[in-house]
């Protein structure tokens, strides 16, 4: 079998180019490929032979040519290489195995092993095995996996930190220990960054290059997509907007733990604000927001203030990274009652507010992101291109120069 | 002459690779080049002949080989292609012509033509001509120019906006009109982004990938370097932290013009704060800060409050983009009296503050940035590599895979 | 003529008691008076003779007694002593002469002499003379005058200060210099305190003991009526809520002049907020508020924020002095558009908001207050009772103990 | 025995006047009294006989007259009437019985009966009985008692409310139920108002008319002395500055319970701020402040912020009631470490800060206040004069008019 990832010769460059075109375009006839690549008929034949023998390409039928002739078309064998993605939360893990086109072949959701640490790692290994089996494919086909974690990950130092909700998983060992169990390369990403990546791939960020995804739920986080790429920051803490000095004074030591913004508008704060005003005790934030429709003025006053502060946070984010769109997600962020109020306040605190929209992927955004991220890495390894989107644009540019 | 920018064949790829190595490494022997590129002796000879005939490469002498033999070395002709950079301010323009190594060949500073618009464009054209002449080289050698402007530039829409200090220059025509006069490609960048770029190239950001440069002077602005690249934002307004909702309420319509933060700590605000407390009227901010050393308690109280607010702004920036370092510049930002106070307040408002440092490039940071930016574009055009730093890392990776 | 103000003997005490009862009750029969005072018939006769000969009392007719007999009644000669009141503003002076019942006998309004100082004092003297003449009574009948001034007055130190709108009037000389011209005692009060006093006498504070009057106009001020009396503070600066640390940081030296609250919501601030958001330039605050009805969303957003801040100020005032009611006045405070918004925000920032109401006296509140204040002083001098209201309650208590 | 409290005739007025002079002046000779009162020798003799027979006055010896003769002097029998005062806290009760001069005859401190309500009332009754016995005087001598309670008391409605720390004591029954047990009149005052009263009588407010006492401890409260009298507000909630909109947003529903200011700087907040910054867990505020001297920078940063906010609160209070002095008390307010910082910040947030001082009465200020308040009421009942201070000033005025 050809090891695509270590190709170096001209032949290898050619093989990669062909594979990339097939993956991006779907079924392509030999003639089109020749036109796109400028390769000779003979070289094409040799390339296809090699790719077919490695299981990367298959002939799929015939398309109708322009002058009435039919021609054989080729397409990539999408499940020749697979990717794994898992969104690990404090309470549950969602995991998927997908093919090279990003088609989900099998999916599973389990409660997170409360014992944390190695137990969670073993759980992930077992899930990947289960998923490959359910997909009817050998685990060896999985070449890349990405794990979304509710914490900060410093890729440079391979250090996972600030993971309050999963015991014993901070530090440096997760990727290596998991790889030792599953065989494929394991990458880590912050869960909200993964959600932003998911929005870019399949959600409200599909059509644009620069946006942020703000998750408002128990906690507050943000993923930034800038010029098509996740912005990670020097320690992997970019987007940790829970610490924005908004809604509370950052000089108040009480905000050092959760951050001033999260102290002010996290779900605990919302419940306490509601109860503090005399609202019924013991409601969840979901229930409090539901009460707006019932005319509960305490709920209205509470969520008005939250929205006012969220608008300020969006202003702060815009001042720094100038997103084209703000996608709101999370159990609170996804509520239209909040969005309406944020859109009331935004033009009152900034002259040119960004577009705001609610995520349509819901709690699956992060899972999508882990697959999108794994695919990027897979392609980079296979074809040395930076990302799904850049692969596409490079292919276009390549074509344009022909 | 070879048009390096349109090379497409294998030969052309080889030419680019050799040029890149020569530019990055300085003088290199033929044997080393053969080792680095894997090219045959014959191919190497052909390549060098072609590059020499185009004026891109010259033989420079002999280095001592490992076994006592001396060998001819080759190096790039750095002034075969030149770049132009100009930092245009409301009161003065600084401009430079530099060679492919970034060596400044000639430099000039002039008051900005107060009539603005076409007059400034003509001024820039005249300056580039003057600089080439002073460098003793034809203007045609200049292939790329970058103009730093105190405003926002939306590269996608080629739209320059928010340029309060230079009349008649907003809109879309600057690059084309200037190119029509000078012949080379003209690019535009926000002046503070350019300063950040300059810090990255020759200043306090040389050693790191992710940092911000905050300019505190008449106004407030920030340039963000993230993973080695300037972060521009969807409309070119990333880093416009004058609008951060810090130091004043963004719901106060008065802050819509200058932004809440700038309304609070811009130089006009500092003077008014000082005078409002009973400080001597008519002093400049520079003079007010000077008075700290003289024991002027009104100056102390005024600058304490400014620093307290700057620390909050740094916290906000860190929450969003997580820089490794914050470089302070501008007439106010460069004052050690301010830095000392900011460093007092930072750990009081955030748990893990970033490193802070004062720019050493002073008012020349932006100028350096325009040259660094021009060099990036030149190299991308010549060699299709993204940036100076990525060129280096790609060269290393390339080497490593051999 | 009897000098009522220096009575000391038992006889004098008796005279005062009778006068007080007549002033409080209107026409009273001799029998009633005897019952109220416990004086013998003979003493009563002597007292009346003395009061009649001094011009303080007159017989007025006959009321129907309980057993069918009719009896002569006596009443005070209300214009035996007069009071003068003047509300001096930066642009105009309103002045009145009233009788002992507080009936306005003559009234005048003039532009304030722009030259200030002695010119304003001469103007006041001339006005009092004119008013007495118009009332058809000698100026000597005026025993007490009160001048409301837009500034702080420290009664202990007889020092008038913080009078930005009238030149040359600060300091200690106003009462003495004016008295030298007019002959009667001259007292000074802060104009907003006078307005509160006016509200207590004839306005929205008639029925309660503890309330505040907040004037929102060009500037911001407050008069406090606590247990029926104006609360002045140690330096006469009570109620100077322009300096409340609300709406802006008091650590911002710019607020030292006008105060944080006034910097935030004074009329200059409102206009700048409106224009800063893009509202039409050059409108007055009155016009801006008028635009709310026309659907001007910039006006709505501007006044919403003002009301939100006013509500916070009312909370602060309530936390300190716990008024039963807040009366809003001044060109801005009197607008129902503002009141409606304040009433929206108040229950959102405090659990038990005070009642809020708009002054019905308009720009005459201060003038009423100067007369009410003069009457208090007159009665205290004549009868040694603290105030109009305490005179009444003492009379009742006196009666109850009989 | 003469019932002094119902005197109404001229004779009774004379008796009261004499008693007042004796209480204010101590021992006085008959000649002096005659001079002060203008009474004839014979009337004086009758008066003294009557007062002596009632036990109110005694002859005490002889002072040296001006012309060499010695004369008998008279003085009040200070323990002819007694007062009771009790400062009831959540954890302990301090109580005192004092004579008409305010001399403490006996004093006791007990833990507050945790069962609250009637149990506390019974405890107070028992304490008064014990105290009278210890003083060697019959309980019937106690004519007035004042109870300081940590809550708001609306005297108009005789309603005690907001008493979180003593169970079952809110409402209207405390004065009547206690009176039924003890026999004397029972009055209620807010504990911080009582502390202010105590400061006025024996503390840092002795020499001035208008000041505030701010208690900073577990909670935050303020007593206001304005022109010599406690300012109570319309519902007895004046000085409840825990709700000042400072240090936190009042629109945050969480502050509705404790108030924005108390939420921000109450002792719970201080501990949480300290721990939130990484300070050692479990310390008391006392211990945290102690650590400042040990160089604990977290303690320094924490208390700096508290002081900054306290200074703002003092500004707010000054803007409303303009006190001449601010007396700080309570376990936190009494710390010089705090005062020093408040005095650093005050001139930075206001142009003319009031004097600040720490209470010297400590936890006994409230107790002193209950006695001072009882004495005021006793004298008002006995002599119908408004207060201790007004009694004195009236006596002086009286004398001056002679």
């Amino acid at each position: 079998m050809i090891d695509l990832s270590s190709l170096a010769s001209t032949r290898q460059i050619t093989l990669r180019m062909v594979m990339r075109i097939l993956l991006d375009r779907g079924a392509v006839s030999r003639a089109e490929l020749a036109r796109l690549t400028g390769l000779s008929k003979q070289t094409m034949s040799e390339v296809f032979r090699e790719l077919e023998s490695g299981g990367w390409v298959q002939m799929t039928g015939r398309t109708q040519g322009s002058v009435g002739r039919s021609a054989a078309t080729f397409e990539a064998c999408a499940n020749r290489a697979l990717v794994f993605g898992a969104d690990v939360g404090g309470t549950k893990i969602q995991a998927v195995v997908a093919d090279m086109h990003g088609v989900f072949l099998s999916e599973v959701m389990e409660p997170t092993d409360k014992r944390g640490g190695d137990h969670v790692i073993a759980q992930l290994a077992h899930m990947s095995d289960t998923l490959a089996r359910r997909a009817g494919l050998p685990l060896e086909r999985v070449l890349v996996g990405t794990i979304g974690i509710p914490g900060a990950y410093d890729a440079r130092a391979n250090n996972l930190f600030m993971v309050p909700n999963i015991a014993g998983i901070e530090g440096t060992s997760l990727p290596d220990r998991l790889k030792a169990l599953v065989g494929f390369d394991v990458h880590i990403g912050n869960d909200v960054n993964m959600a932003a990546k998911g929005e870019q791939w399949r959600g409200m960020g599909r059509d644009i290059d620069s946006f942020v995804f703000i998750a408002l739920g128990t906690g507050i986080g943000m993923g930034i997509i800038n010029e098509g790429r996740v912005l990670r920051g020097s320690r992997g803490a970019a987007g940790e907007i829970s610490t924005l000095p908004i809604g509370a004074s950052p000089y108040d030591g009480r905000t050092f733990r959760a951050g001033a913004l999260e102290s002010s508008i996290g779900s605990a704060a919302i419940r306490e604000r509601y109860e503090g005003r005399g609202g019924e005790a013991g409601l969840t934030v979901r229930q409090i927001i539901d009460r707006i429709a019932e005319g509960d003025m305490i709920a209205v006053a509470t969520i008005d203030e939250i929205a006012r502060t969220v608008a300020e946070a969006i202003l702060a984010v815009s001042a720094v990274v100038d997103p084209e769109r703000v996608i709101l997600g999370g159990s609170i962020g996804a509520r239209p009652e909040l969005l309406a109020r944020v859109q009331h306040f935004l033009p009152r605190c900034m002259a040119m507010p960004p577009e705001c929209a609610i995520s349509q992927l819901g709690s699956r955004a992060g899972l999508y992101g882990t697959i999108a991220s794994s695919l990027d890495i897979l392609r980079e390894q296979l074809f040395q291109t930076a990302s799904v989107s850049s692969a596409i644009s490079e292919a276009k540019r390549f074509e344009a120069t022909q």
Side-chain angles (χ1 to χ4, degrees), chain A residues 193-205:
Chain A
N193 285 351
M194 287 301 104
K197 189 84 193 165
E199 294 291 338
Q200 180 187 28
W201 188 39
R202 293 279 159 95
M204 300 297 292

Side-chain angles (χ1 to χ4, degrees), chain A residues 28-56:
Chain A
V28 175
S29 71
R30 195 175 303 200
E32 263 179 293
L33 264 176
R35 189 176 55 77
L36 287 169
T37 59
L39 296 174
S40 69
K41 211 163 182 176
Q42 188 192 332
T43 308
M44 287 291 288
S45 291
E46 288 167 22
V47 160
F48 274 110
R49 207 175 312 127
E50 195 160 347
L51 287 170
E52 275 186 307
S53 78
W56 293 93

Side-chain angles (χ1 to χ4, degrees), chain A residues 99-145:
Chain A
D99 70 14
M100 280 197 284
H101 283 313
V103 174
F104 285 19
L105 303 181
S106 53
E107 184 172 346
V108 69
M109 184 164 86
E110 289 181 7
T112 309
D113 193 316
K114 287 294 174 197
R115 295 168 295 178
D118 283 346
H119 298 281
V120 169
I121 292 170
Q123 186 178 17
L124 287 167
H126 185 258
M127 287 171 95
S128 67
D129 196 54
T130 304
L131 287 168
R133 240 184 313 108
R134 286 195 198 162
L137 293 164
L139 186 57
E140 291 73 31
R141 287 272 178 96
V142 180
L143 301 188
V144 175

Side-chain angles (χ1 to χ4, degrees), chain A residues 109-309:
Chain A
M109 184 164 86
E110 289 181 7
T112 309
D113 193 316
K114 287 294 174 197
R115 295 168 295 178
D118 283 346
H119 298 281
V120 169
I121 292 170
Q123 186 178 17
L124 287 167
H126 185 258
M127 287 171 95
S128 67
D129 196 54
T130 304
L131 287 168
R133 240 184 313 108
R134 286 195 198 162
L137 293 164
L139 186 57
E140 291 73 31
R141 287 272 178 96
V142 180
L143 301 188
V144 175
T146 301
I147 315 294
I149 296 274
Y153 180 65
D154 182 346
R156 258 185 340 189
N158 180 28
N159 185 32
L160 183 61
F161 61 107
M162 299 204 300
V163 192
N165 297 321
I166 305 170
I169 209 164
E170 296 191 350
T172 63
S173 58
L174 172 57
D176 288 348
R177 282 153 85 187
L178 184 50
K179 180 176 184 174
L181 295 175
V182 295
F184 54 79
D185 277 351
V186 172
H187 301 266
I188 297 183
N190 167 270
D191 60 343
V192 185
N193 285 351
M194 287 301 104
K197 189 84 193 165
E199 294 291 338
Q200 180 187 28
W201 188 39
R202 293 279 159 95
M204 300 297 292
R206 273 193 313 275
D207 53 331
I208 50 178
D209 275 350
S210 297
F211 68 88
V212 297
F213 172 82
I214 298 181
L216 297 173
T218 310
I220 294 169
M222 181 173 73
I224 305 167
I225 301 293
N226 178 60
E227 300 187 19
R229 299 168 58 193
V230 172
L231 193 157
R232 291 194 170 77
S234 69
R235 297 168 302 189
E240 290 291 350
I241 54 168
S242 55
T243 62
L244 273 177
I246 291 174
S249 170
Y251 291 102
D252 183 336
R254 289 174 292 183
T255 68
F256 271 52
R257 280 176 189 155
L261 184 62
E262 186 167 311
S263 297
S264 174
I265 64 165
S267 63
I270 294 175
R271 286 194 308 269
E272 288 164 24
R273 283 169 180 250
Y274 180 74
E275 295 181 13
R277 276 180 192 278
E280 186 181 332
L283 299 190
T284 63
V285 173
R286 174 184 302 269
Q287 290 171 316
I288 292 167
I289 299 178
D290 286 345
R291 295 223 169 168
I292 290 175
E294 301 164 16
D296 178 343
M297 293 316 291
I298 295 176
V300 168
T302 301
I303 303 304
D304 277 0
E305 286 303 312
I306 299 301
R308 185 177 167 101
T309 307

Side-chain angles (χ1 to χ4, degrees), chain A residues 213-401:
Chain A
F213 172 82
I214 298 181
L216 297 173
T218 310
I220 294 169
M222 181 173 73
I224 305 167
I225 301 293
N226 178 60
E227 300 187 19
R229 299 168 58 193
V230 172
L231 193 157
R232 291 194 170 77
S234 69
R235 297 168 302 189
E240 290 291 350
I241 54 168
S242 55
T243 62
L244 273 177
I246 291 174
S249 170
Y251 291 102
D252 183 336
R254 289 174 292 183
T255 68
F256 271 52
R257 280 176 189 155
L261 184 62
E262 186 167 311
S263 297
S264 174
I265 64 165
S267 63
I270 294 175
R271 286 194 308 269
E272 288 164 24
R273 283 169 180 250
Y274 180 74
E275 295 181 13
R277 276 180 192 278
E280 186 181 332
L283 299 190
T284 63
V285 173
R286 174 184 302 269
Q287 290 171 316
I288 292 167
I289 299 178
D290 286 345
R291 295 223 169 168
I292 290 175
E294 301 164 16
D296 178 343
M297 293 316 291
I298 295 176
V300 168
T302 301
I303 303 304
D304 277 0
E305 286 303 312
I306 299 301
R308 185 177 167 101
T309 307
V310 169
E312 279 200 61
I314 289 174
L315 161 55
V317 167
S318 298
V320 180
V321 291
D322 182 28
E324 184 166 345
R325 189 177 293 155
V326 173
I327 304 171
L328 294 169
S331 58
I332 300 165
R335 298 294 299 247
E337 295 92 339
L338 184 76
L339 178 64
R341 284 166 170 77
V342 168
Q343 284 173 330
H344 168 81
F345 283 114
L346 264 185
R348 291 181 169 219
C349 73
M350 63 188 299
M352 296 172 60
E355 204 186 316
C356 285
I358 290 177
S359 164
Q360 302 305 318
L361 301 179
S363 63
R364 291 168 63 80
L367 186 63
Y368 277 97
T370 59
I371 294 299
S373 192
S374 292
L375 287 172
D376 279 356
I377 297 163
L378 178 69
R379 287 179 171 233
E380 193 173 4
Q381 288 181 355
L382 293 182
F383 318 126
Q384 298 192 338
T385 67
S387 70
V388 171
S389 52
S390 70
I392 295 169
S393 60
E394 283 182 31
K396 286 182 188 153
R397 196 194 311 157
F398 175 82
E399 189 176 3
T401 61

